[in-house]
Amino acid sequence: MQRITAIIAAALMTTGMASTAAMAQDNANSAPQSQSQAPAKNFSDEELQQFADASQEIASISQNYTEKLQNASDEGDQQKIRQKANDEMVEAVNDSGMDVEKFNSIGQAIQQDPQLMQRVKGMVQQPQQ
């Protein structure tokens, strides 16, 4: 159970890194803040499974790059490592079948809805069929 929570927590923490490109695009079309305060809760099981799959991959990527970041010699190297990790995380989200914006929406909803968090945890626990 702790591992599942850690995977989802790592995915949520790294969502900020994975959303950098999406946020840059969103800033051009600035939406009112009220929209982001109330996350949509009508996610399909398929979307939640995609989120769970992407979260596991992102947690793995994050783990790989944490050590590299700690061993980086200067800020320039750290920035390159962060960018490479970000690119891999975005690719992991896209490979799961969803876009970064949807991934971030689900991540926000999970932080605010314990029942939704439990649904996703259950999907992480289930072996892939």
PDB file of all heavy atoms in Angstrom, residues 11-48:
ATOM      1  N   ALA A  11       4.141  10.800  -8.817  1.00  0.00           N
ATOM      2  CA  ALA A  11       3.548  11.267 -10.065  1.00  0.00           C
ATOM      3  C   ALA A  11       2.954  12.654  -9.891  1.00  0.00           C
ATOM      4  O   ALA A  11       3.115  13.525 -10.745  1.00  0.00           O
ATOM      5  CB  ALA A  11       2.487  10.296 -10.554  1.00  0.00           C
ATOM      6  N   LEU A  12       2.282  12.872  -8.784  1.00  0.00           N
ATOM      7  CA  LEU A  12       1.680  14.184  -8.541  1.00  0.00           C
ATOM      8  C   LEU A  12       2.746  15.248  -8.323  1.00  0.00           C
ATOM      9  O   LEU A  12       2.599  16.372  -8.784  1.00  0.00           O
ATOM     10  CB  LEU A  12       0.725  14.121  -7.349  1.00  0.00           C
ATOM     11  CG  LEU A  12      -0.515  13.261  -7.566  1.00  0.00           C
ATOM     12  CD1 LEU A  12      -1.323  13.167  -6.285  1.00  0.00           C
ATOM     13  CD2 LEU A  12      -1.369  13.814  -8.696  1.00  0.00           C
ATOM     14  N   MET A  13       3.829  14.897  -7.646  1.00  0.00           N
ATOM     15  CA  MET A  13       4.901  15.865  -7.435  1.00  0.00           C
ATOM     16  C   MET A  13       5.580  16.217  -8.749  1.00  0.00           C
ATOM     17  O   MET A  13       5.979  17.346  -8.961  1.00  0.00           O
ATOM     18  CB  MET A  13       5.937  15.320  -6.454  1.00  0.00           C
ATOM     19  CG  MET A  13       5.451  15.321  -5.030  1.00  0.00           C
ATOM     20  SD  MET A  13       6.722  14.917  -3.833  1.00  0.00           S
ATOM     21  CE  MET A  13       7.248  13.297  -4.371  1.00  0.00           C
ATOM     22  N   THR A  14       5.710  15.232  -9.628  1.00  0.00           N
ATOM     23  CA  THR A  14       6.393  15.486 -10.885  1.00  0.00           C
ATOM     24  C   THR A  14       5.454  16.025 -11.947  1.00  0.00           C
ATOM     25  O   THR A  14       5.899  16.417 -13.013  1.00  0.00           O
ATOM     26  CB  THR A  14       7.076  14.207 -11.410  1.00  0.00           C
ATOM     27  OG1 THR A  14       6.091  13.194 -11.556  1.00  0.00           O
ATOM     28  CG2 THR A  14       8.181  13.760 -10.494  1.00  0.00           C
ATOM     29  N   THR A  15       4.183  16.089 -11.650  1.00  0.00           N
ATOM     30  CA  THR A  15       3.232  16.643 -12.603  1.00  0.00           C
ATOM     31  C   THR A  15       3.646  18.050 -12.995  1.00  0.00           C
ATOM     32  O   THR A  15       3.512  18.437 -14.137  1.00  0.00           O
ATOM     33  CB  THR A  15       1.803  16.646 -12.020  1.00  0.00           C
ATOM     34  OG1 THR A  15       1.438  15.305 -11.756  1.00  0.00           O
ATOM     35  CG2 THR A  15       0.810  17.248 -12.963  1.00  0.00           C
ATOM     36  N   GLY A  16       4.165  18.788 -12.048  1.00  0.00           N
ATOM     37  CA  GLY A  16       4.623  20.139 -12.344  1.00  0.00           C
ATOM     38  C   GLY A  16       5.699  20.143 -13.407  1.00  0.00           C
ATOM     39  O   GLY A  16       5.697  20.970 -14.304  1.00  0.00           O
ATOM     40  N   MET A  17       6.624  19.189 -13.329  1.00  0.00           N
ATOM     41  CA  MET A  17       7.659  19.102 -14.355  1.00  0.00           C
ATOM     42  C   MET A  17       7.049  18.693 -15.684  1.00  0.00           C
ATOM     43  O   MET A  17       7.377  19.243 -16.719  1.00  0.00           O
ATOM     44  CB  MET A  17       8.735  18.085 -13.945  1.00  0.00           C
ATOM     45  CG  MET A  17       9.598  18.539 -12.795  1.00  0.00           C
ATOM     46  SD  MET A  17      10.789  17.284 -12.301  1.00  0.00           S
ATOM     47  CE  MET A  17      11.790  17.115 -13.770  1.00  0.00           C
ATOM     48  N   ALA A  18       6.143  17.738 -15.657  1.00  0.00           N
ATOM     49  CA  ALA A  18       5.565  17.230 -16.892  1.00  0.00           C
ATOM     50  C   ALA A  18       4.637  18.235 -17.540  1.00  0.00           C
ATOM     51  O   ALA A  18       4.373  18.162 -18.730  1.00  0.00           O
ATOM     52  CB  ALA A  18       4.809  15.930 -16.626  1.00  0.00           C
ATOM     53  N   SER A  19       4.143  19.176 -16.766  1.00  0.00           N
ATOM     54  CA  SER A  19       3.172  20.112 -17.321  1.00  0.00           C
ATOM     55  C   SER A  19       3.792  21.408 -17.808  1.00  0.00           C
ATOM     56  O   SER A  19       3.078  22.285 -18.269  1.00  0.00           O
ATOM     57  CB  SER A  19       2.110  20.427 -16.267  1.00  0.00           C
ATOM     58  OG  SER A  19       2.690  21.134 -15.199  1.00  0.00           O
ATOM     59  N   THR A  20       5.096  21.545 -17.744  1.00  0.00           N
ATOM     60  CA  THR A  20       5.740  22.787 -18.139  1.00  0.00           C
ATOM     61  C   THR A  20       5.342  23.214 -19.538  1.00  0.00           C
ATOM     62  O   THR A  20       4.956  24.363 -19.762  1.00  0.00           O
ATOM     63  CB  THR A  20       7.276  22.643 -18.057  1.00  0.00           C
ATOM     64  OG1 THR A  20       7.611  22.254 -16.731  1.00  0.00           O
ATOM     65  CG2 THR A  20       7.961  23.937 -18.390  1.00  0.00           C
ATOM     66  N   ALA A  21       5.402  22.309 -20.479  1.00  0.00           N
ATOM     67  CA  ALA A  21       5.055  22.651 -21.861  1.00  0.00           C
ATOM     68  C   ALA A  21       3.577  22.998 -21.977  1.00  0.00           C
ATOM     69  O   ALA A  21       3.205  23.960 -22.650  1.00  0.00           O
ATOM     70  CB  ALA A  21       5.403  21.495 -22.794  1.00  0.00           C
ATOM     71  N   ALA A  22       2.743  22.234 -21.322  1.00  0.00           N
ATOM     72  CA  ALA A  22       1.300  22.488 -21.378  1.00  0.00           C
ATOM     73  C   ALA A  22       0.960  23.824 -20.743  1.00  0.00           C
ATOM     74  O   ALA A  22       0.116  24.561 -21.248  1.00  0.00           O
ATOM     75  CB  ALA A  22       0.536  21.369 -20.688  1.00  0.00           C
ATOM     76  N   MET A  23       1.630  24.147 -19.640  1.00  0.00           N
ATOM     77  CA  MET A  23       1.360  25.417 -18.979  1.00  0.00           C
ATOM     78  C   MET A  23       1.773  26.581 -19.865  1.00  0.00           C
ATOM     79  O   MET A  23       1.088  27.592 -19.910  1.00  0.00           O
ATOM     80  CB  MET A  23       2.084  25.488 -17.629  1.00  0.00           C
ATOM     81  CG  MET A  23       1.418  24.629 -16.577  1.00  0.00           C
ATOM     82  SD  MET A  23       2.311  24.544 -15.005  1.00  0.00           S
ATOM     83  CE  MET A  23       2.614  26.252 -14.641  1.00  0.00           C
ATOM     84  N   ALA A  24       2.858  26.435 -20.584  1.00  0.00           N
ATOM     85  CA  ALA A  24       3.288  27.499 -21.485  1.00  0.00           C
ATOM     86  C   ALA A  24       2.225  27.736 -22.548  1.00  0.00           C
ATOM     87  O   ALA A  24       1.917  28.875 -22.892  1.00  0.00           O
ATOM     88  CB  ALA A  24       4.623  27.145 -22.123  1.00  0.00           C
ATOM     89  N   GLN A  25       1.643  26.667 -23.059  1.00  0.00           N
ATOM     90  CA  GLN A  25       0.581  26.797 -24.052  1.00  0.00           C
ATOM     91  C   GLN A  25      -0.667  27.386 -23.415  1.00  0.00           C
ATOM     92  O   GLN A  25      -1.325  28.231 -23.996  1.00  0.00           O
ATOM     93  CB  GLN A  25       0.252  25.435 -24.659  1.00  0.00           C
ATOM     94  CG  GLN A  25       1.360  24.891 -25.528  1.00  0.00           C
ATOM     95  CD  GLN A  25       1.088  23.459 -25.951  1.00  0.00           C
ATOM     96  OE1 GLN A  25       0.129  22.833 -25.506  1.00  0.00           O
ATOM     97  NE2 GLN A  25       1.952  22.936 -26.796  1.00  0.00           N
ATOM     98  N   ASP A  26      -0.997  26.950 -22.203  1.00  0.00           N
ATOM     99  CA  ASP A  26      -2.191  27.433 -21.524  1.00  0.00           C
ATOM    100  C   ASP A  26      -2.091  28.912 -21.190  1.00  0.00           C
ATOM    101  O   ASP A  26      -3.090  29.616 -21.188  1.00  0.00           O
ATOM    102  CB  ASP A  26      -2.445  26.652 -20.230  1.00  0.00           C
ATOM    103  CG  ASP A  26      -2.959  25.248 -20.508  1.00  0.00           C
ATOM    104  OD1 ASP A  26      -3.364  24.974 -21.658  1.00  0.00           O
ATOM    105  OD2 ASP A  26      -2.948  24.427 -19.579  1.00  0.00           O
ATOM    106  N   ASN A  27      -0.893  29.396 -20.883  1.00  0.00           N
ATOM    107  CA  ASN A  27      -0.728  30.802 -20.536  1.00  0.00           C
ATOM    108  C   ASN A  27      -1.129  31.709 -21.681  1.00  0.00           C
ATOM    109  O   ASN A  27      -1.588  32.823 -21.466  1.00  0.00           O
ATOM    110  CB  ASN A  27       0.708  31.091 -20.099  1.00  0.00           C
ATOM    111  CG  ASN A  27       0.999  30.537 -18.719  1.00  0.00           C
ATOM    112  OD1 ASN A  27       0.086  30.250 -17.954  1.00  0.00           O
ATOM    113  ND2 ASN A  27       2.263  30.389 -18.394  1.00  0.00           N
ATOM    114  N   ALA A  28      -0.974  31.247 -22.890  1.00  0.00           N
ATOM    115  CA  ALA A  28      -1.368  32.039 -24.046  1.00  0.00           C
ATOM    116  C   ALA A  28      -2.889  32.177 -24.111  1.00  0.00           C
ATOM    117  O   ALA A  28      -3.414  33.155 -24.614  1.00  0.00           O
ATOM    118  CB  ALA A  28      -0.846  31.396 -25.331  1.00  0.00           C
ATOM    119  N   ASN A  29      -3.596  31.197 -23.599  1.00  0.00           N
ATOM    120  CA  ASN A  29      -5.059  31.201 -23.603  1.00  0.00           C
ATOM    121  C   ASN A  29      -5.594  31.283 -22.185  1.00  0.00           C
ATOM    122  O   ASN A  29      -6.500  30.555 -21.826  1.00  0.00           O
ATOM    123  CB  ASN A  29      -5.592  29.906 -24.253  1.00  0.00           C
ATOM    124  CG  ASN A  29      -5.070  29.702 -25.640  1.00  0.00           C
ATOM    125  OD1 ASN A  29      -4.847  30.648 -26.360  1.00  0.00           O
ATOM    126  ND2 ASN A  29      -4.859  28.457 -26.013  1.00  0.00           N
ATOM    127  N   SER A  30      -5.026  32.152 -21.374  1.00  0.00           N
ATOM    128  CA  SER A  30      -5.349  32.222 -19.943  1.00  0.00           C
ATOM    129  C   SER A  30      -6.831  32.048 -19.669  1.00  0.00           C
ATOM    130  O   SER A  30      -7.648  32.847 -20.099  1.00  0.00           O
ATOM    131  CB  SER A  30      -4.878  33.548 -19.354  1.00  0.00           C
ATOM    132  OG  SER A  30      -3.489  33.605 -19.390  1.00  0.00           O
ATOM    133  N   ALA A  31      -7.147  30.999 -18.934  1.00  0.00           N
ATOM    134  CA  ALA A  31      -8.532  30.715 -18.548  1.00  0.00           C
ATOM    135  C   ALA A  31      -8.778  31.336 -17.185  1.00  0.00           C
ATOM    136  O   ALA A  31      -7.851  31.486 -16.393  1.00  0.00           O
ATOM    137  CB  ALA A  31      -8.756  29.206 -18.494  1.00  0.00           C
ATOM    138  N   PRO A  32     -10.002  31.669 -16.882  1.00  0.00           N
ATOM    139  CA  PRO A  32     -10.303  32.204 -15.551  1.00  0.00           C
ATOM    140  C   PRO A  32      -9.937  31.194 -14.472  1.00  0.00           C
ATOM    141  O   PRO A  32     -10.075  29.996 -14.662  1.00  0.00           O
ATOM    142  CB  PRO A  32     -11.822  32.416 -15.589  1.00  0.00           C
ATOM    143  CG  PRO A  32     -12.210  32.391 -17.018  1.00  0.00           C
ATOM    144  CD  PRO A  32     -11.167  31.607 -17.746  1.00  0.00           C
ATOM    145  N   GLN A  33      -9.480  31.685 -13.331  1.00  0.00           N
ATOM    146  CA  GLN A  33      -9.041  30.801 -12.254  1.00  0.00           C
ATOM    147  C   GLN A  33     -10.164  29.937 -11.726  1.00  0.00           C
ATOM    148  O   GLN A  33      -9.926  28.837 -11.262  1.00  0.00           O
ATOM    149  CB  GLN A  33      -8.461  31.620 -11.103  1.00  0.00           C
ATOM    150  CG  GLN A  33      -7.040  32.033 -11.334  1.00  0.00           C
ATOM    151  CD  GLN A  33      -6.447  32.626 -10.068  1.00  0.00           C
ATOM    152  OE1 GLN A  33      -7.146  33.225  -9.249  1.00  0.00           O
ATOM    153  NE2 GLN A  33      -5.163  32.458  -9.908  1.00  0.00           N
ATOM    154  N   SER A  34     -11.389  30.388 -11.808  1.00  0.00           N
ATOM    155  CA  SER A  34     -12.493  29.617 -11.247  1.00  0.00           C
ATOM    156  C   SER A  34     -12.619  28.245 -11.901  1.00  0.00           C
ATOM    157  O   SER A  34     -13.059  27.301 -11.278  1.00  0.00           O
ATOM    158  CB  SER A  34     -13.810  30.386 -11.390  1.00  0.00           C
ATOM    159  OG  SER A  34     -14.073  30.622 -12.753  1.00  0.00           O
ATOM    160  N   GLN A  35     -12.204  28.125 -13.147  1.00  0.00           N
ATOM    161  CA  GLN A  35     -12.264  26.831 -13.818  1.00  0.00           C
ATOM    162  C   GLN A  35     -11.305  25.831 -13.188  1.00  0.00           C
ATOM    163  O   GLN A  35     -11.623  24.667 -13.064  1.00  0.00           O
ATOM    164  CB  GLN A  35     -11.921  26.971 -15.303  1.00  0.00           C
ATOM    165  CG  GLN A  35     -13.047  27.543 -16.120  1.00  0.00           C
ATOM    166  CD  GLN A  35     -12.677  27.600 -17.581  1.00  0.00           C
ATOM    167  OE1 GLN A  35     -11.509  27.686 -17.941  1.00  0.00           O
ATOM    168  NE2 GLN A  35     -13.673  27.556 -18.431  1.00  0.00           N
ATOM    169  N   SER A  36     -10.117  26.278 -12.790  1.00  0.00           N
ATOM    170  CA  SER A  36      -9.128  25.345 -12.260  1.00  0.00           C
ATOM    171  C   SER A  36      -9.393  24.997 -10.797  1.00  0.00           C
ATOM    172  O   SER A  36      -8.803  24.070 -10.284  1.00  0.00           O
ATOM    173  CB  SER A  36      -7.721  25.910 -12.433  1.00  0.00           C
ATOM    174  OG  SER A  36      -7.594  27.093 -11.679  1.00  0.00           O
ATOM    175  N   GLN A  37     -10.260  25.727 -10.130  1.00  0.00           N
ATOM    176  CA  GLN A  37     -10.523  25.449  -8.726  1.00  0.00           C
ATOM    177  C   GLN A  37     -11.460  24.267  -8.534  1.00  0.00           C
ATOM    178  O   GLN A  37     -11.445  23.638  -7.503  1.00  0.00           O
ATOM    179  CB  GLN A  37     -11.120  26.687  -8.049  1.00  0.00           C
ATOM    180  CG  GLN A  37     -10.102  27.815  -7.917  1.00  0.00           C
ATOM    181  CD  GLN A  37     -10.721  29.069  -7.347  1.00  0.00           C
ATOM    182  OE1 GLN A  37     -11.930  29.129  -7.129  1.00  0.00           O
ATOM    183  NE2 GLN A  37      -9.913  30.077  -7.118  1.00  0.00           N
ATOM    184  N   ALA A  38     -12.305  23.972  -9.492  1.00  0.00           N
ATOM    185  CA  ALA A  38     -13.252  22.871  -9.380  1.00  0.00           C
ATOM    186  C   ALA A  38     -12.956  21.826 -10.446  1.00  0.00           C
ATOM    187  O   ALA A  38     -13.414  21.938 -11.568  1.00  0.00           O
ATOM    188  CB  ALA A  38     -14.681  23.383  -9.526  1.00  0.00           C
ATOM    189  N   PRO A  39     -12.120  20.829 -10.126  1.00  0.00           N
ATOM    190  CA  PRO A  39     -11.752  19.834 -11.121  1.00  0.00           C
ATOM    191  C   PRO A  39     -12.939  18.962 -11.524  1.00  0.00           C
ATOM    192  O   PRO A  39     -13.829  18.701 -10.717  1.00  0.00           O
ATOM    193  CB  PRO A  39     -10.682  18.992 -10.426  1.00  0.00           C
ATOM    194  CG  PRO A  39     -10.953  19.178  -8.975  1.00  0.00           C
ATOM    195  CD  PRO A  39     -11.539  20.558  -8.823  1.00  0.00           C
ATOM    196  N   ALA A  40     -12.923  18.545 -12.768  1.00  0.00           N
ATOM    197  CA  ALA A  40     -13.978  17.652 -13.248  1.00  0.00           C
ATOM    198  C   ALA A  40     -13.823  16.305 -12.555  1.00  0.00           C
ATOM    199  O   ALA A  40     -12.723  15.810 -12.386  1.00  0.00           O
ATOM    200  CB  ALA A  40     -13.870  17.498 -14.754  1.00  0.00           C
ATOM    201  N   LYS A  41     -14.938  15.708 -12.175  1.00  0.00           N
ATOM    202  CA  LYS A  41     -14.872  14.423 -11.476  1.00  0.00           C
ATOM    203  C   LYS A  41     -15.442  13.303 -12.332  1.00  0.00           C
ATOM    204  O   LYS A  41     -15.573  12.193 -11.877  1.00  0.00           O
ATOM    205  CB  LYS A  41     -15.608  14.511 -10.143  1.00  0.00           C
ATOM    206  CG  LYS A  41     -14.948  15.484  -9.196  1.00  0.00           C
ATOM    207  CD  LYS A  41     -15.582  15.465  -7.841  1.00  0.00           C
ATOM    208  CE  LYS A  41     -14.868  16.466  -6.941  1.00  0.00           C
ATOM    209  NZ  LYS A  41     -15.309  16.417  -5.578  1.00  0.00           N
ATOM    210  N   ASN A  42     -15.773  13.594 -13.546  1.00  0.00           N
ATOM    211  CA  ASN A  42     -16.386  12.598 -14.419  1.00  0.00           C
ATOM    212  C   ASN A  42     -15.344  11.965 -15.333  1.00  0.00           C
ATOM    213  O   ASN A  42     -15.430  12.065 -16.544  1.00  0.00           O
ATOM    214  CB  ASN A  42     -17.499  13.247 -15.256  1.00  0.00           C
ATOM    215  CG  ASN A  42     -18.621  13.765 -14.384  1.00  0.00           C
ATOM    216  OD1 ASN A  42     -18.928  13.169 -13.363  1.00  0.00           O
ATOM    217  ND2 ASN A  42     -19.215  14.861 -14.786  1.00  0.00           N
ATOM    218  N   PHE A  43     -14.373  11.330 -14.731  1.00  0.00           N
ATOM    219  CA  PHE A  43     -13.346  10.658 -15.518  1.00  0.00           C
ATOM    220  C   PHE A  43     -13.759   9.208 -15.724  1.00  0.00           C
ATOM    221  O   PHE A  43     -14.239   8.546 -14.795  1.00  0.00           O
ATOM    222  CB  PHE A  43     -11.988  10.723 -14.813  1.00  0.00           C
ATOM    223  CG  PHE A  43     -11.484  12.125 -14.603  1.00  0.00           C
ATOM    224  CD1 PHE A  43     -11.404  12.662 -13.331  1.00  0.00           C
ATOM    225  CD2 PHE A  43     -11.104  12.908 -15.680  1.00  0.00           C
ATOM    226  CE1 PHE A  43     -10.940  13.955 -13.129  1.00  0.00           C
ATOM    227  CE2 PHE A  43     -10.647  14.202 -15.494  1.00  0.00           C
ATOM    228  CZ  PHE A  43     -10.567  14.726 -14.217  1.00  0.00           C
ATOM    229  N   SER A  44     -13.555   8.708 -16.927  1.00  0.00           N
ATOM    230  CA  SER A  44     -13.896   7.317 -17.215  1.00  0.00           C
ATOM    231  C   SER A  44     -12.870   6.390 -16.564  1.00  0.00           C
ATOM    232  O   SER A  44     -11.759   6.811 -16.221  1.00  0.00           O
ATOM    233  CB  SER A  44     -13.911   7.092 -18.731  1.00  0.00           C
ATOM    234  OG  SER A  44     -12.592   7.160 -19.254  1.00  0.00           O
ATOM    235  N   ASP A  45     -13.244   5.127 -16.427  1.00  0.00           N
ATOM    236  CA  ASP A  45     -12.300   4.140 -15.903  1.00  0.00           C
ATOM    237  C   ASP A  45     -11.068   4.054 -16.805  1.00  0.00           C
ATOM    238  O   ASP A  45      -9.955   3.880 -16.316  1.00  0.00           O
ATOM    239  CB  ASP A  45     -12.965   2.764 -15.789  1.00  0.00           C
ATOM    240  CG  ASP A  45     -13.918   2.670 -14.597  1.00  0.00           C
ATOM    241  OD1 ASP A  45     -13.858   3.555 -13.701  1.00  0.00           O
ATOM    242  OD2 ASP A  45     -14.724   1.726 -14.566  1.00  0.00           O
ATOM    243  N   GLU A  46     -11.289   4.176 -18.103  1.00  0.00           N
ATOM    244  CA  GLU A  46     -10.164   4.121 -19.046  1.00  0.00           C
ATOM    245  C   GLU A  46      -9.193   5.275 -18.800  1.00  0.00           C
ATOM    246  O   GLU A  46      -7.973   5.073 -18.773  1.00  0.00           O
ATOM    247  CB  GLU A  46     -10.675   4.169 -20.489  1.00  0.00           C
ATOM    248  CG  GLU A  46      -9.547   4.103 -21.506  1.00  0.00           C
ATOM    249  CD  GLU A  46     -10.031   4.197 -22.945  1.00  0.00           C
ATOM    250  OE1 GLU A  46     -11.256   4.325 -23.169  1.00  0.00           O
ATOM    251  OE2 GLU A  46      -9.184   4.163 -23.836  1.00  0.00           O
ATOM    252  N   GLU A  47      -9.723   6.482 -18.587  1.00  0.00           N
ATOM    253  CA  GLU A  47      -8.860   7.635 -18.324  1.00  0.00           C
ATOM    254  C   GLU A  47      -8.100   7.464 -17.012  1.00  0.00           C
ATOM    255  O   GLU A  47      -6.905   7.762 -16.930  1.00  0.00           O
ATOM    256  CB  GLU A  47      -9.680   8.924 -18.271  1.00  0.00           C
ATOM    257  CG  GLU A  47     -10.208   9.362 -19.613  1.00  0.00           C
ATOM    258  CD  GLU A  47     -11.191  10.508 -19.515  1.00  0.00           C
ATOM    259  OE1 GLU A  47     -11.988  10.558 -18.547  1.00  0.00           O
ATOM    260  OE2 GLU A  47     -11.155  11.369 -20.426  1.00  0.00           O
ATOM    261  N   LEU A  48      -8.781   6.945 -16.006  1.00  0.00           N
ATOM    262  CA  LEU A  48      -8.124   6.737 -14.715  1.00  0.00           C
ATOM    263  C   LEU A  48      -7.053   5.654 -14.813  1.00  0.00           C
ATOM    264  O   LEU A  48      -5.994   5.757 -14.198  1.00  0.00           O
ATOM    265  CB  LEU A  48      -9.145   6.396 -13.637  1.00  0.00           C
ATOM    266  CG  LEU A  48     -10.126   7.528 -13.293  1.00  0.00           C
ATOM    267  CD1 LEU A  48     -11.150   7.049 -12.267  1.00  0.00           C
ATOM    268  CD2 LEU A  48      -9.410   8.770 -12.802  1.00  0.00           C
TER     269      LEU A  48
END
